[in-house]
Amino acid sequence: MSVDTTKVAHSNGTAAAAAAPSTKIGQLGVWADERVGLASLAKKNIRKVFPDHWSFMLGEIALWSFVVLLITGIFLTLWFTPSMSEIVYEGSYDQLRGVYMTEAMASTLNISFDVRGGLLMRQMHHWAAMIFIGSMMVHLMRVYFTGAFRKPREINWVIGSLLLLIGTIEGFTGYSLPDDLLSGTGVRAADGFMKAAPIVGTWMSFFVFGGEFPGEIFIQRFYILHVLLLPGILLALIAAHMMLVMYHKHTQWPGPGRTNDNVVGYPLLPVYISKMGGFFFSVFGIIALMGGLLTINPMWKYGPYDPSKVTAGSQPDWYMGWPDGALRIIPGWESVIFGYTISWNILLPILILPIAFWALVTAMPFVEAAITGDKREHHLLQRPRNAPTRTALMVAFMTFYGLMWAAGGNDLIAIKFDSSINNITYFLRAAVFIGPVIAFIVTRRWCISLQRHDNEVLLHGRETGVVERSVDGGYSERHEALSADAAFTLTERDREDNLVLSDVEIAKLKGKDRRRAKRAAWWYGYNVQKPTPAELEAAQHHGHHDEIEGSDNAH
């Protein structure tokens, strides 16, 4: 008598017995799981819960635009020739036919006019780069305003800052590859910036360009950076960023049932996988529409790069605009030290300011922790109004950035508004210092006013616009009590009054403790604390009394 043993349950001694799979795919899956543990890994993470809020999609815009960059970039590499060898253009664009240019520019023209779908892919690639960097900046601001960078997510904030920095460098190397007059002007400017570095500047330039600018190899070097090294670093950082999000769990907005110890939302599969797929196609579709309808970087209009020419009104991509603005408005300062000329008017706005500004933003989680002494873990987000000093700081940074960015177009502003470029430059020189201070003060006062308004609503209810007259002739507005969920959301924040010491208590401290207490008083001292339970109870009792009295007297 024969026995079919293929369906007999088996066990390796470390797991419960299970029926043998009956299909080849199932057997392959078991084989793989026994060796790499895919099933246990997927089982742990596939049902992971993520909170639901529109602001969390900002990071996904950056992720999916990066995917579009990879897809379109692979297409472009099939036809692009990274070579500075000169040839005579004989393509289909009549205006440049017979003109000497590098193979890099000729292949870019070929992609634009002779490869089917090539121009669409070029423009999608460029627009996706713009959106990638822009969405990372907006995502960074969302994380900062809501306090999502606090412990234990400081490392993820640093990774995000690195992504923004490397994405910017990746964008610069990308739009430098066509070797047209506009991109060549940008590379020529970069050469000047490197040479402004004291002592090592000339050597840096010679290293990048293989000799005196422009050399014969920088396109090849930029190409390797653009398609291999920098994308690899970006992929690694994105993977690390996503792994830390999974490990720490996603932050969530406060609300009923939401605490520091749980996550209220929907599972990764099937809900968020479906949402992510739909959102990817939405981002892809919008970028495709932009690539098909909105012209960007029409390099055929500029012609090949010629070191003796500069395109009138030439400007870099928007994310490089603010260092360009700093360069335009800084006075022409120079010094000669030990025989070396120090060009401060280039060194400060290009080589020092961007790095210092990026380093300051990157260090903000550690700066805030040092000021406040807060070492707790935070998984609930804060409304920006509930952290007035932090919100005001970011608005001051944004004001500084925006004014520098506007300075990058001071020539176009002067033309469009028929104004003196000198007056615009003088105004911006003062505004980049005064503007952030004003923005800080106004924003902090605005947040404090919003905190007071929240307390008024909690204690007295929401204004309805309904005016009632009492029997003795007085008028009053009817207030509507908040729902329990709305009141919970407004009160789900910490009181910081215990973190702020009085002047007398600070005077008793010494050394580091005293300095920290002063910093905490500056950070938290202006905050309006939420009502205490006793105040809320008294307000509810008063409101109930008024309701009974009003129902007896109103007519």
Side-chain angles (χ1 to χ4, degrees):
M1 177 179 175
S2 62
V3 179
D4 183 7
T5 61
T6 60
K7 298 181 179 179
V8 176
H10 61 85
S11 173
N12 59 6
T14 61
S22 58
T23 64
K24 293 292 185 182
I25 295 178
Q27 293 171 5
L28 180 62
V30 170
W31 181 89
D33 183 53
E34 289 175 347
R35 287 155 178 81
V36 296
L38 291 176
S40 58
L41 181 65
K43 184 177 180 181
K44 179 180 179 180
N45 293 293
I46 208 73
R47 299 294 294 173
K48 194 173 184 68
V49 174
F50 286 86
D52 192 35
H53 193 270
W54 67 266
S55 64
F56 302 152
M57 308 300 284
L58 296 170
E60 283 197 50
I61 296 175
L63 175 63
W64 298 135
S65 58
F66 181 71
V67 172
V68 175
L69 279 170
L70 293 179
I71 295 171
T72 55
I74 291 171
F75 178 92
L76 295 174
T77 57
L78 300 177
W79 283 276
F80 181 73
T81 304
S83 172
M84 295 188 69
S85 299
E86 282 203 344
I87 62 172
V88 177
Y89 177 69
E90 298 293 347
S92 59
Y93 188 66
D94 290 339
Q95 287 86 337
L96 291 177
R97 191 174 296 159
V99 175
Y100 281 93
M101 62 182 63
T102 60
E103 287 189 80
M105 181 170 181
S107 63
T108 306
L109 288 169
N110 180 55
I111 292 171
S112 301
F113 296 108
D114 299 305
V115 175
R116 181 167 296 181
L119 181 59
L120 174 64
M121 288 295 162
R122 265 198 66 231
Q123 299 199 146
M124 284 182 63
H125 192 74
H126 205 132
W127 279 120
M130 299 282 207
I131 294 172
F132 176 58
I133 296 175
S135 56
M136 280 197 295
M137 291 185 65
V138 177
H139 179 59
L140 179 143
M141 288 188 288
R142 195 281 299 175
V143 169
Y144 185 84
F145 279 130
T146 59
F149 60 85
R150 294 173 295 172
K151 184 181 177 181
R153 296 175 179 82
E154 302 98 329
I155 300 301
N156 230 4
W157 172 268
V158 174
I159 291 174
S161 299
L162 285 170
L163 280 168
L164 183 59
L165 175 65
I166 296 173
T168 302
I169 299 172
E170 172 80 336
F172 171 74
T173 58
Y175 74 65
S176 300
L177 291 178
D179 200 33
D180 59 286
L181 183 57
L182 181 61
S183 66
T185 301
V187 178
R188 185 67 181 90
D191 173 59
F193 300 155
M194 284 185 281
K195 288 177 177 175
I199 303 175
V200 299
T202 303
W203 298 104
M204 289 170 57
S205 174
F206 274 48
F207 173 77
V208 171
F209 297 103
E212 187 62 56
F213 176 86
E216 297 179 352
I217 60 172
F218 89 84
I219 291 290
Q220 295 92 316
R221 290 184 172 181
F222 278 29
Y223 183 74
I224 294 299
L225 283 173
H226 186 70
V227 304
L228 184 62
L229 181 60
L230 296 178
I233 296 174
L234 287 172
L235 278 171
L237 290 174
I238 290 172
H241 190 77
M242 300 302 295
M243 289 173 62
L244 286 175
V245 169
M246 297 287 286
Y247 176 72
H248 290 138
K249 73 186 179 183
H250 204 292
T251 52
Q252 60 184 342
W253 289 99
R258 300 171 186 172
T259 68
N260 258 326
D261 302 319
N262 70 352
V263 178
V264 178
Y266 301 99
L268 183 63
L269 188 74
V271 177
Y272 271 100
I273 291 295
S274 302
K275 285 188 174 184
M276 289 167 65
F279 199 55
F280 164 71
F281 287 110
S282 298
V283 172
F284 186 93
I286 291 172
I287 293 175
L289 282 174
M290 295 175 71
L293 301 176
L294 304 176
T295 300
I296 187 169
N297 193 24
M299 39 77 65
W300 54 87
K301 292 185 176 181
Y302 311 132
Y305 177 62
D306 183 343
S308 65
K309 300 175 183 176
V310 176
T311 307
S314 60
Q315 292 178 320
D317 279 349
W318 70 267
Y319 48 86
M320 300 293 291
W322 75 277
D324 185 46
L327 180 68
R328 294 184 183 214
I329 64 174
I330 192 170
W333 294 334
E334 286 186 354
S335 302
V336 178
I337 302 177
F338 300 115
Y340 291 97
T341 299
I342 309 298
S343 300
W344 299 107
N345 54 333
I346 300 176
L347 186 64
L348 289 175
I350 300 298
L351 300 182
I352 294 178
L353 178 63
I355 296 173
F357 192 71
W358 175 83
L360 178 60
V361 171
T362 303
M364 284 311 297
F366 310 101
V367 172
E368 180 170 329
I371 291 174
T372 63
D374 186 1
K375 304 299 181 183
R376 300 167 297 169
E377 288 196 2
H378 297 275
H379 301 291
L380 290 177
L381 299 174
Q382 287 182 300
R383 301 169 80 198
R385 67 183 64 181
N386 291 332
T389 304
R390 178 202 301 148
T391 301
L393 274 177
M394 178 52 74
V395 172
F397 290 162
M398 292 166 60
T399 303
F400 177 81
Y401 179 95
L403 288 168
M404 286 293 190
W405 189 77
N410 61 349
D411 54 342
L412 298 180
I413 294 173
I415 293 171
K416 295 297 183 182
F417 291 94
D418 193 22
S419 302
S420 167
I421 191 171
N422 290 331
N423 292 338
I424 294 172
T425 300
Y426 297 147
F427 169 79
L428 288 169
R429 283 178 181 174
V432 294
F433 293 102
I434 300 173
V437 176
I438 296 175
F440 178 86
I441 295 171
V442 171
T443 302
R444 186 155 73 169
R445 297 308 307 175
W446 196 344
C447 289
I448 292 169
S449 298
L450 290 172
Q451 285 184 322
R452 288 182 178 141
H453 176 263
D454 285 347
N455 284 359
E456 287 293 322
V457 171
L458 277 169
L459 294 173
H460 305 296
R462 184 179 290 110
E463 297 177 356
T464 63
V466 177
V467 178
E468 295 178 330
R469 181 183 179 187
S470 63
V471 293
D472 57 1
Y475 292 91
S476 62
E477 183 179 13
R478 179 184 296 175
H479 286 68
E480 178 185 6
L482 292 179
S483 65
D485 288 353
F488 184 90
T489 301
L490 291 182
T491 55
E492 186 60 21
R493 63 184 179 99
D494 297 327
R495 291 180 61 91
E496 296 101 0
D497 47 359
N498 60 326
L499 302 176
V500 180
L501 302 179
S502 65
D503 293 339
V504 175
E505 293 172 317
I506 293 176
K508 296 178 181 178
L509 300 175
K510 295 182 179 180
K512 184 169 62 175
D513 293 335
R514 184 174 185 177
R515 290 192 296 271
R516 173 170 289 179
K518 286 184 176 181
R519 293 195 300 264
W522 175 77
W523 191 270
Y524 291 122
Y526 296 90
N527 290 14
V528 178
Q529 305 304 322
K530 68 179 182 180
T532 63
E535 291 172 336
L536 288 170
E537 184 178 354
Q540 290 176 355
H541 176 75
H542 179 71
H544 181 64
H545 175 75
D546 287 349
E547 183 179 346
I548 296 175
E549 187 177 86
S551 62
D552 291 340
N553 297 335
H555 60 93

